[in-house]
Amino acid sequence: MIRTLSPPRRGRSYAVQVAREVLTQWGARLGLAWIGLLVFLAVFAPFLANSHPLLLSQDGQLDSPLVRYLTPADVTLLALFFTGLLLALSRASLRTWLGGLGSVLLLAGTLSAAWVQPPALAIYEQYRQQEAAGEYDWVVYAPIPYSPKDYQRDRGETGLQPPLASPKKDHWFGTEENGADVLARMVHASRIALGIGFIATGIALALGILIGGLMGYFSGAVDIIGMRLVEIFEAVPTLFLLLTFVAFFERSLYLLMVIIGITSWSGYARYVRAEFLRLRQQDFVQAALACGLPLHSILFRHMLPNGIGPILVAASFGVASAILAEAVLSFLGLGLVDDPSWGQMLNQAVRSSTFNWWMAAFPGGAIFLTVFAYNLVGEALRDAIDPYLKKSLR
């Protein structure tokens, strides 16, 4: 009898082990489910809430105004989503993820900016008027047939209507002060929340890793100067720094991401500094020095992967803090001017003489659930990474 030997099974990587331990906790599952729902809403927002018909037939000719009005950002998000889905199904490595998403972001962003050019003027009421006049053979709308900037001028005064108070009972979350549908604005505002959360945290993480890595590796005078810089940023309240930057610069989405990012890097720098101080005397670092490897290779290819655990935990909490910071600025009237934001809608709950409960309950609930979800994921990630906590729980 001839026995065939199967190839030896490869051990699970550390990242896979951590991911499985995180997913064993019900809090992390709930948090990831909510974050996944927000990602889905952010990516497919134009197809979920839009005044432009998804598909219509006029005089026997098919047309899709919704597709014609897609922006370069819409196309780029769709490309990133489906690329991430393919990478997840193929169980790609982290390096493949970063390289694939980075390449798609660059390629899709460049091509969509050059080729995708939606009409400059959007007249939302024309579709309702033409449908009422019987000019369409048939028309298919999005599940929420309102755009976030559709103020329904053709329907008279529609501002601040409670949920299901309109004659057609089609505003499930009511309307805001200008007459726009609250649910449609909340769906599109999920893009603002996730975009600011991830990009602002990415900026803060990059600054913190760079400055903290240099402090921890060189120590001495570099460490002293870097720690004084960290203490200066931590001594000034973050909200005061945000208000100062916003007051001097134009209010835009990208600038808001940068402002939140450069005011919240100090915590990451402390974590990286502590990890690099611990790792700089390890044998593998000394071996890399003896081999004559360049500084960037020692710092970011050898030391950083061995000290990334606490930094990822802090980053998960940092995303929640960035979302909360944007909501606070928008609530104070210093956030985005024209784009929908949860904090901006929350501000409208108390702006008038009466308390508009739906403007507080739904946006406020979304902010709470999002921040809570990231905190749950951060707690689970910390429990999975911290070896001392594992020993104490056994």
Side-chain angles (χ1 to χ4, degrees):
M1 182 177 179
I2 300 176
R3 299 179 61 183
T4 59
L5 297 177
S6 60
R9 297 179 59 186
R10 296 179 60 186
R12 290 183 299 176
S13 67
Y14 178 66
V16 173
Q17 294 179 17
V18 169
R20 292 192 177 185
E21 290 186 21
V22 167
L23 292 176
T24 58
Q25 303 190 32
W26 66 268
R29 293 180 183 178
L30 292 177
L32 289 173
W34 176 256
I35 295 170
L37 176 62
L38 288 182
V39 171
F40 178 81
L41 293 177
V43 172
F44 295 98
F47 300 93
L48 297 173
N50 210 317
S51 297
H52 301 294
L54 180 62
L55 192 64
L56 60 84
S57 175
Q58 186 175 17
D59 298 330
Q61 295 183 350
L62 295 179
D63 186 21
S64 179
L66 188 149
V67 174
R68 283 193 286 108
Y69 277 87
L70 288 178
T71 64
D74 299 331
V75 177
T76 304
L77 283 177
L78 288 170
L80 287 174
F81 178 81
F82 286 111
T83 302
L85 190 61
L86 289 175
L87 292 173
L89 293 176
S90 62
R91 298 184 179 181
S93 63
L94 179 60
R95 182 174 297 180
T96 306
W97 269 85
L98 295 177
L101 291 180
S103 301
V104 170
L105 177 61
L106 181 61
L107 183 62
T110 304
L111 292 179
S112 61
W115 294 98
V116 179
Q117 297 180 354
L121 181 63
I123 305 176
Y124 301 112
E125 58 269 17
Q126 64 175 332
Y127 305 108
R128 293 190 289 264
Q129 294 171 352
Q130 291 175 357
E131 183 185 11
E135 297 183 15
Y136 297 146
D137 303 327
W138 49 265
V139 59
V140 178
Y141 285 98
I144 306 170
Y146 298 103
S147 293
K149 298 179 183 179
D150 182 2
Y151 302 118
Q152 307 176 63
R153 305 300 186 191
D154 56 321
R155 293 184 173 179
E157 181 58 40
T158 57
L160 293 176
Q161 290 183 349
L164 302 177
S166 62
K168 292 188 175 182
K169 307 290 184 183
D170 53 354
H171 296 296
W172 299 339
F173 283 13
T175 60
E176 48 98 65
E177 62 181 6
N178 294 318
D181 185 79
V182 171
L183 182 56
R185 291 180 70 83
M186 285 190 61
V187 169
H188 284 263
S190 62
R191 289 186 168 191
I192 307 297
L194 291 179
I196 285 183
F198 285 122
I199 297 178
T201 303
I203 294 172
L205 201 59
L207 290 173
I209 288 175
L210 179 61
I211 298 175
L214 294 175
M215 288 192 299
Y217 180 78
F218 289 106
S219 67
V222 176
D223 187 26
I224 293 174
I225 296 173
M227 284 305 298
R228 300 295 81 77
L229 184 63
V230 169
E231 290 170 358
I232 290 173
F233 268 83
E234 290 185 344
V236 181
T238 304
L239 181 59
F240 179 77
L241 279 176
L242 290 173
L243 293 176
T244 303
F245 278 109
V246 169
F248 280 99
F249 298 100
E250 179 185 359
R251 285 183 284 174
S252 68
L253 175 61
Y254 302 105
L255 187 59
L256 202 59
M257 295 174 182
V258 174
I259 289 173
I260 295 176
I262 63 177
T263 55
S264 54
W265 60 269
S266 56
Y268 303 111
R270 283 183 176 274
Y271 280 110
V272 177
R273 170 185 176 272
E275 290 297 314
F276 276 37
L277 284 174
R278 178 179 64 86
L279 293 171
R280 63 194 295 263
Q281 299 299 331
Q282 297 290 326
D283 291 339
F284 72 93
V285 177
Q286 298 302 316
L289 279 171
C291 292
L293 294 181
L295 178 62
H296 65 84
S297 178
I298 297 175
L299 291 178
F300 303 118
R301 187 171 183 178
H302 296 280
M303 296 182 69
L304 183 60
N306 289 280
I308 198 66
I311 305 168
L312 292 179
V313 176
S316 63
F317 292 110
V319 175
S321 300
I323 293 173
L324 202 56
E326 185 278 329
V328 169
L329 288 176
S330 297
F331 179 76
L332 296 175
L334 297 173
L336 301 176
V337 177
D338 198 25
D339 295 318
S341 166
W342 291 339
Q344 181 190 74
M345 289 185 281
L346 194 61
N347 174 267
Q348 296 182 16
V350 295
R351 186 180 297 177
S352 60
S353 57
T354 58
F355 178 69
N356 307 305
W357 64 268
W358 63 96
M359 296 300 299
F362 300 125
I367 295 171
F368 168 77
L369 289 176
T370 304
V371 173
F372 186 54
Y374 279 107
N375 286 337
L376 287 176
V377 174
E379 291 284 349
L381 195 59
R382 185 190 63 185
D383 296 345
I385 288 176
D386 192 350
Y388 300 103
L389 186 60
K390 290 181 186 178
K391 293 179 181 179
S392 64
L393 291 176
R394 288 177 181 175

